[in-house]
Each structure stands twice: as C-alpha cells, then as structure tokens.
Amino acid sequence: MAPAFGWLDASWLIGAFWDARWWLMSSAVAAMCVWLWARRWWLRRARTMLRDRAVVALVPAAGFDPSLEEIDRHAARLARVPAVVGWAPERAVGVRIRLSSDEGRLSYRLEGPARAAALLRLRSFPDVDVVEPGAGHDEVPRIRFDGVPPLEPDNHGDEDE
C-alpha cells in the first residue's frame, strides 16, 4: 500500500544519500584535513608571535605622581594593542605587565606583540622614561618615605634574650 501523501515518502532521500556516500565521506575527510592544517598553522603562528615579543621598561622620575586621567589614558592605550596587531591568536596579543624587584629596585616592564612595539614605546606619563630593558636605565631608585627608617634584615639568631 502506497502512502497517502507522495511527498512524504523519503526513500528518494535515502537513495540519494546512499548513492553519494563516497563523495560525502571524502568531503568530510577533506574538511577534517583542512581544519587540522589550519589549526596547526594557527598554533604555529601563536608560538612565533609569543617568541618575538617587544619588551620596554618604564622608568619613573623621583617625583612621579600620576593623575587618574593619566592612568586611564595609559590603560586605554594598552587596551588598543589587540586592535593594532590585527588578526592573530588571542593568547599572542595580550600585553603583560611585569613587575619585579631585584635587590630592592623595582622594575616595571611592558611586554607585548612585536607588531605593537611602537604603541608600547609611546610615553603615557610625562615623568616616565621608556627605555629598552638592559640598557642600564631601568633601575629604579628605592622609594623612601619621610620619617620612616629603611627596613633592616632580621637577625633573630644573633640576639640574646
């Protein structure tokens, strides 16, 4: 007995799929190969961009006291880095702010994509010099507070009680 409605009969669709099964499977394999190649290229590009990053050191003057407007301007400039870099892996376009201390000297460095090096080198604050790290200028003097003596190392073992 034939179905009441001829247009509901899906056997032609099953037949068409069966006839094209090799073409569909080869297309799926080709699409998977293209996707795997693109993924590998994207990861390789991310590794290359992470390896070739620009680093600048910020050296403040002794009386450095930024206003909120200057801080906002600096943050907005750093937020524009992904737009400057363009189409790139997300992990490679991030700006890293590295604060470190070596023997009491504070070091403030910006690290970002090489394509955004010019943006990183722009001066955001009037009292801050932007220098290349390792140039000898990135050593920041210790911060001293009026009326507060510097901290001395603890000598717990040397004291007699």
Side-chain angles (χ1 to χ4, degrees), residues 115-152:
R115 293 173 84 182
L119 185 63
L120 294 174
R121 287 188 182 103
L122 287 176
R123 290 183 60 179
S124 296
F125 303 106
D127 295 341
V128 175
D129 292 330
V130 180
V131 296
E132 296 296 321
H137 302 290
D138 57 343
E139 296 178 8
V140 178
R142 289 185 180 196
I143 298 173
R144 305 273 185 200
F145 295 99
D146 292 335
V148 179
L151 294 176
E152 297 296 328

Side-chain angles (χ1 to χ4, degrees), residues 18 24 27-28 35 37 39 41 48 64 90 94 96-99 111 113 126 133 145 152 157:
W18 188 254
L24 290 172
S27 296
W35 182 84
W37 175 84
R39 175 82 174 149
W41 174 80
T48 302
F64 176 62
E90 191 173 325
R96 290 177 180 86
I97 299 172
R98 297 193 184 259
L99 296 171
E111 179 182 317
F145 295 99
E152 297 296 328

Side-chain angles (χ1 to χ4, degrees), residues 30-148:
M32 179 68 80
C33 289
V34 167
W35 182 84
L36 288 172
W37 175 84
R39 175 82 174 149
R40 183 178 169 107
W41 174 80
W42 193 250
L43 291 175
R44 184 177 293 146
R45 182 173 175 180
R47 280 193 299 270
T48 302
M49 288 182 73
L50 285 170
R51 189 173 37 247
D52 301 328
R53 292 178 65 83
V55 179
V56 295
L58 303 179
V59 181
F64 176 62
D65 186 22
S67 67
L68 289 176
E69 180 182 326
E70 290 173 330
I71 294 171
D72 286 342
R73 198 173 337 125
H74 180 65
R77 180 173 292 149
L78 295 180
R80 282 194 303 257
V81 167
V84 169
V85 173
W87 195 60
E90 191 173 325
R91 72 173 89 179
V93 297
V95 174
R96 290 177 180 86
I97 299 172
R98 297 193 184 259
L99 296 171
S100 63
S101 177
D102 181 32
E103 297 179 12
R105 291 184 304 259
L106 179 67
S107 173
Y108 184 93
R109 296 179 185 205
L110 294 177
E111 179 182 317
R115 293 173 84 182
L119 185 63
L120 294 174
R121 287 188 182 103
L122 287 176
R123 290 183 60 179
S124 296
F125 303 106
D127 295 341
V128 175
D129 292 330
V130 180
V131 296
E132 296 296 321
H137 302 290
D138 57 343
E139 296 178 8
V140 178
R142 289 185 180 196
I143 298 173
R144 305 273 185 200
F145 295 99
D146 292 335
V148 179

Side-chain angles (χ1 to χ4, degrees), residues 152-161:
E152 297 296 328
D154 257 345
N155 295 329
H156 291 294
D158 295 346
E159 296 178 16
D160 292 330
E161 292 185 29

